[in-house]
Amino acid sequence: MLDFAASSQRQRLKKMIFDDVAFGTSLAATMARAYDEACAALRDQNVELSEAARKLMALRIMTAVQGGERNREQLARLAAAVVYDASQ
């Protein structure tokens, strides 16, 4: 059974966080590299990433960028930390 209330809440949150947000080409490339680096670091530690974990990592990068973070290495650390924090 689908949880329509939860789905509706996620959509509102997504719209609230990312309404009118656009990432330029260079910044999008930095974000993609940070995501790839975080995934690689986790794979190197034999961490299996679920689809939910991958989405959380991407969301963490986007929210950090929206908050002003531009350092690729820091973005990668923040993304990996989402998985570490969830596993503890």
Side-chain angles (χ1 to χ4, degrees), residues 24-34 72:
T25 305
S26 176
L27 184 53
T30 297
M31 294 165 64
R33 286 188 61 204
R72 186 191 80 250

Side-chain angles (χ1 to χ4, degrees), residues 14-26:
K14 183 178 175 184
K15 182 169 176 47
M16 182 177 68
I17 293 174
F18 299 111
D19 198 21
D20 298 323
V21 174
F23 303 115
T25 305
S26 176

Side-chain angles (χ1 to χ4, degrees), residues 36-88:
D36 290 341
E37 289 172 12
C39 288
L42 291 166
R43 267 194 313 271
D44 289 348
Q45 296 178 27
N46 296 318
V47 175
E48 225 175 289
L49 295 172
S50 66
E51 184 66 23
R54 291 178 184 276
K55 288 179 181 181
L56 284 174
M57 291 169 63
L59 180 62
R60 182 63 186 108
I61 289 172
M62 288 186 279
T63 55
V65 167
Q66 188 177 15
E69 183 61 60
R70 298 296 186 266
N71 181 282
R72 186 191 80 250
E73 292 172 351
Q74 179 62 14
L75 292 169
R77 279 191 291 273
L78 291 169
V82 168
V83 175
Y84 290 129
D85 292 345
S87 67
Q88 293 182 10

